[in-house]
Amino acid sequence: MFDVYPINDITIVKAKGSTVWDDKGNEYLDMYGGHAVISIGHIHPHWVKRIEDQLEKIAFYSNSIKIPLQQELADKLVEVSGKKNYQLFLCNSGAEANENALKLASFYNGRKKIIAFSKSFHGRTSLAVAATDNPSIVAPVNETENVIFLPFNDEAALKDCFEKEGKNICCVIIEGIQGVGGINVASISFLQLIKSLCDKHGAIFIADSVQCGYGRTGKFFSHDYANVNADIYTMAKGMGNGFPVAGILIAPHIPPKHFMLGTTFGGNHLACAAAIAVLEVIQKENLLQNAKQVGDYLLSELSKIDKIENVRGKGLMIGFDVPSELKELKKNLLFKHKIFTGEAKPNVIRLLPSLALTKKDADKFLRSLKEEIATLTKKPEAINVP
Ligand SMILES: Cc1ncc(COP(=O)(O)O)c(C=O)c1O
């Protein structure tokens, strides 16, 4: 294997809901959702059935023929997200979704300048990585003058940039809550300002919802908290509950043209079956409501723990800072307490569990967290020297 990931010495072989098991039979609570991917819970029976039924019919054929499942998915997505008359383009990963969104914006208005923000992460393909604020993952060939980085949530800087560059700005791309950047919530007024400046200057508002979308925050798109419609929403992670599928939802005023976008695998029969199953379960089991309720509970309980700092987030996308005296916390939660959590460098623990997380599992996590914090902060007993 090409060694690009520092990995834990654990082999997961089985999963159900918010629980996973390793090859030695150890049981773990998954507060990480396999990196925000598990939306409806591992191996949900409805999702399994939909995929199995589809597999017995046909798994793949190219986009040169009609695939009614794609329209079924588009209709369901518009219904569940409330983005009326939006058009769907299907692809395979978050980076690909953002790559296509950025290209589409540029095809639409013929411009080149992209506004992105400090600590953003949009993926690893050429334009997506160029719009990502992490020079260590940008290869020399990806470097471009076309991306302008502005400070996150800085309204004055955004206004100033539009004043100077307005007619050159192709698009603004922003995560409603930055994930990799450390759970930083875009303010409502900042998102509203992006919307109004984009509209005023003919730029495209791209809402990167790859991590913060698909119900994770308690609304279908986290940008919905600002009550504005973006021109393009990009989606991936939770969309297939582990089946690789991604897409972009495109506002009705952006017209398609043959061959402007394309993909071999995107929108294949199996991917559509998985994605439809996810939306059906989100609706049937009220998972947006659950994400909000259990998320609010976790946020409020975490805020009461004085050893951790800056508890933040929305729904089941939560982060907190870990002071240096607790630097073993994440590792000990995993190896001692058998709980997976996420992280963001340098010192953030990220919680991205399934949207179906129960209050019981949230309590189990809180108990282990408090117990481990108490252990790590316990002062060593004074040694009595006679
Ligand atoms: C906000 C955001 N955008 C894009 C991506 C890239 O997605 P993928 O890894 O599926 O290409 C990620 C992945 O973590 C992400 O968090």
Side-chain angles (χ1 to χ4, degrees), residues 35 93-95 98 121-123 175 180 208 210-211 237:
H35 206 79
S93 70
N98 284 328
F121 184 92
H122 299 298
E175 298 155 78
V180 177
D208 181 341
V210 168
Q211 186 165 153
K237 295 188 189 294

Side-chain angles (χ1 to χ4, degrees), residues 215-235:
R216 175 149 298 285
T217 64
K219 294 221 184 252
F220 195 80
F221 293 118
S222 64
H223 305 73
D224 291 344
Y225 278 99
N227 250 327
V228 291
N229 281 325
D231 299 306
I232 303 178
Y233 294 89
T234 63
M235 307 159 289

Side-chain angles (χ1 to χ4, degrees), residues 297-312 318-323 325-326 329 333 349 351 362-375 377:
Y297 174 68
L298 269 171
L299 278 165
S300 120
E301 292 302 307
L302 287 166
S303 306
K304 295 178 195 158
I305 305 176
D306 61 1
K307 297 285 181 201
I308 57 174
E309 293 156 4
N310 264 328
V311 176
R312 56 197 183 268
I318 296 173
F320 53 85
D321 295 343
V322 177
E325 64 172 330
L326 296 179
L329 184 59
L333 281 172
I349 286 189
L351 305 179
D363 280 329
K364 184 172 164 188
F365 166 71
L366 289 165
R367 265 195 315 276
S368 299
L369 180 72
K370 287 179 199 164
E371 202 183 296
E372 191 51 35
I373 291 174
T375 307
T377 50

Side-chain angles (χ1 to χ4, degrees), residues 182-194:
I183 311 291
N184 307 312
V185 182
S187 72
I188 285 178
S189 61
F190 195 58
L191 294 173
Q192 289 172 341
L193 183 65
I194 292 174

Side-chain angles (χ1 to χ4, degrees), residues 20 30 46 52 86 89 109 187 193 238 258:
V20 298
D30 188 5
H46 181 67
E52 278 178 354
Y86 275 57
F89 174 74
N109 58 23
S187 72
L193 183 65
H258 281 174

Side-chain angles (χ1 to χ4, degrees), residues 67 196 201 257 298:
I67 302 178
S196 69
H201 294 273
K257 233 183 5 200
L298 269 171

